[in-house]
Amino acid sequence: MLFKSKNKIMSTDKPYKKPFKLEEISKKEVFSVPDGYFDKLPTIIQTRAIESTKKKAVFTPMGVLRLAMPVILVVLISGYVGFKYLNSSERKDAKIEKMIAGVSTEELVNYLDNSDITSDEILEVVSFDGESLEDFTPGIDDLSNKDLELLINDMDFGNENSI
Amino acid sequence: MEDSELIEKLKGEDTRNYAFNLLVRKYQERIYWHIRKMVLNHDDADDLVQEVFIKVWKYLDNFRGDSQLYTWIYRIATNECLSFLAKKKRRFLLPIVDVEKELATYIDSGSNVSGDEIQMKLQKALLKLPDKQRMVFNMKYFDEMKYEDIAEITETSVGALKASYHHAVKKIEDILNND
């Protein structure tokens, strides 16, 4: 850069450089494309566009599987958690009790009539601790001696294994 | 063919394919160069330009006509380009400066690139701008687009664009003068 000082021309170390102005730079394209690129491009794009429309209408097994995967995962995880929950010991007991409560007396009698379980076997597993006869036969205390006699006569006590 | 006529033909089932072909032929070069100046590499630009026109095809029914067809296509291209560059930075976990270095290396490599010294310097200086500002600069400086159109594409105000362009020009001139 040159500048005047006390009528002498002084120079700095660096030579003067005219500042760049953007508008002075030509806008020539510096990048190039392979020959014939723009001749082929419309066909490539058109083909892809038509294929994308077809793909939208056709569901391939893999495509369906991919779409359904989140739902499948949710079902599997829910199933696993549900299975674990239902199989926990507390749930199991509660489930059995609920199932038994749902069986009618008539169904139970039918089942016992047709099974090989004997009265003794039933008595072995039933606990009568702290229970009175009234608990099993409500209203029996109200029966008169005559009623009891009739009841005993109606029952067959010939077999010592019967109740 | 005028855009209005093209839009009419794109709506008709029988003329849709033909009109789309015309649309691609009409805009392919402008869109390609718009993308290429941002990503520099021809292969990336090729992939992106195809994606842009596939999206145009898919979403043609969404084009309401309240903007010009060409600004709508430019908007798709701009968004594709910016997300591509953002993904590239995330994918390689590279800081911005390294992607800039990678792009600068591409310019230096000279593959599909030619120009005098000052033009090459200009291309490298442009890489110092943030992607969005570089995009605005390219549209104004190289494509000589109106601010109103750029505003529609970038969904930015004309005032903000003028300020951004002015700032970009100053920054580039400073880089070139200090190089």
Side-chain angles (χ1 to χ4, degrees):
Chain A
M1 184 181 212
L2 298 172
F3 60 93
K4 275 186 175 180
S5 173
K6 292 181 183 176
N7 298 325
K8 280 184 182 175
I9 295 173
M10 308 286 286
S11 70
T12 58
D13 291 342
K14 282 185 180 176
Y16 173 73
K17 214 164 84 178
K18 191 188 166 209
F20 279 116
K21 281 282 162 202
L22 203 56
E23 64 261 32
E24 290 167 10
I25 302 171
S26 76
K27 291 181 187 176
K28 188 192 148 210
E29 192 53 72
V30 295
F31 302 107
S32 58
V33 291
D35 288 340
Y37 174 69
F38 291 115
D39 298 329
K40 293 171 195 160
L41 190 59
T43 316
I44 296 167
I45 291 171
Q46 189 94 21
T47 312
R48 280 192 59 190
I50 291 165
E51 271 173 16
S52 76
T53 315
K54 278 183 196 163
K55 267 183 201 162
K56 231 186 338 186
V58 178
F59 287 98
T60 61
M62 277 310 285
V64 171
L65 190 65
R66 198 163 48 235
L67 284 173
M69 196 49 88
V71 179
I72 292 169
L73 280 176
V74 167
V75 170
L76 284 177
I77 291 165
S78 315
Y80 177 72
V81 170
F83 177 77
K84 290 293 266 185
Y85 175 67
L86 287 172
N87 280 282
S88 68
S89 56
E90 291 140 345
R91 272 302 293 176
K92 220 173 193 173
D93 292 343
K95 205 176 148 191
I96 291 165
E97 273 178 31
K98 206 178 168 184
M99 277 170 69
I100 291 171
V103 180
S104 68
T105 313
E106 205 176 309
E107 282 172 311
L108 271 173
V109 171
N110 273 338
Y111 170 73
L112 292 170
D113 280 347
N114 296 317
S115 72
D116 297 323
I117 303 170
T118 62
S119 306
D120 283 346
E121 281 169 341
I122 293 171
L123 285 169
E124 267 170 31
V125 292
V126 175
S127 164
F128 293 105
D129 293 348
E131 308 278 7
S132 69
L133 187 62
E134 171 67 13
D135 293 324
F136 298 101
T137 51
I140 199 162
D141 286 349
D142 300 327
L143 294 173
S144 63
N145 286 339
K146 199 180 173 186
D147 291 334
L148 277 171
E149 264 180 47
L150 281 169
L151 191 65
I152 291 163
N153 288 337
D154 283 345
M155 289 177 147
D156 177 18
F157 285 99
N159 183 351
E160 55 183 319
N161 284 333
S162 56
I163 300 171
Chain B
M1 190 183 282
E2 289 295 312
D3 279 353
S4 54
E5 203 182 332
L6 208 51
I7 292 164
E8 277 308 305
K9 289 198 187 301
L10 284 165
K11 284 178 186 165
E13 261 189 40
D14 299 341
T15 49
R16 196 177 162 98
N17 285 1
Y18 167 69
F20 182 66
N21 193 277
L22 291 181
L23 179 143
V24 174
R25 285 182 192 281
K26 186 173 180 179
Y27 289 111
Q28 60 171 350
E29 290 200 39
R30 286 167 78 174
I31 296 298
Y32 172 85
W33 289 116
H34 177 62
I35 294 169
R36 178 76 189 270
K37 282 192 190 84
M38 289 302 294
V39 300
L40 308 188
N41 180 299
H42 166 73
D43 292 337
D44 291 338
D46 180 38
D47 285 345
L48 286 169
V49 79
Q50 289 186 34
E51 282 308 312
V52 169
F53 282 107
I54 297 296
K55 282 201 170 161
V56 168
W57 171 258
K58 272 188 192 166
Y59 299 112
L60 264 174
D61 295 335
N62 295 3
F63 176 67
R64 295 187 303 274
D66 46 8
S67 61
Q68 298 174 72
L69 183 63
Y70 104 92
T71 55
W72 182 64
I73 301 172
Y74 255 84
R75 196 187 307 156
I76 296 173
T78 300
N79 291 338
E80 281 291 307
C81 236
L82 293 175
S83 24
F84 170 83
L85 290 168
K87 260 186 221 161
K88 190 172 178 145
K89 282 164 195 166
R90 275 202 305 269
R91 193 166 57 233
F92 297 110
L93 298 170
L94 293 170
I96 294 166
V97 71
D98 284 347
V99 174
E100 178 197 315
K101 218 183 265 178
E102 188 198 320
L103 295 174
T105 310
Y106 181 79
I107 294 173
D108 288 335
S109 74
S111 83
N112 285 325
V113 187
S114 63
D116 56 31
E117 194 192 344
I118 188 64
Q119 283 164 338
M120 301 302 257
K121 276 184 178 170
L122 171 62
Q123 287 302 325
K124 282 164 91 172
L126 282 172
L127 296 175
K128 308 255 183 223
L129 300 177
D131 290 340
K132 212 167 173 182
Q133 194 178 28
R134 184 155 65 100
M135 183 77 88
V136 170
F137 178 87
N138 286 343
M139 285 192 270
K140 185 67 198 157
Y141 180 77
F142 290 111
D143 302 342
E144 298 178 349
M145 287 167 72
K146 288 188 282 180
Y147 278 119
E148 287 74 15
D149 290 346
I150 303 173
E152 212 173 283
I153 293 162
T154 55
E155 292 171 319
T156 317
S157 73
V158 169
L161 287 174
K162 281 182 180 173
S164 171
Y165 180 71
H166 177 77
H167 186 253
V169 170
K170 185 146 185 349
K171 197 171 171 186
I172 289 163
E173 286 180 344
D174 283 349
I175 294 167
L176 292 175
N177 285 317
N178 291 323
D179 197 21

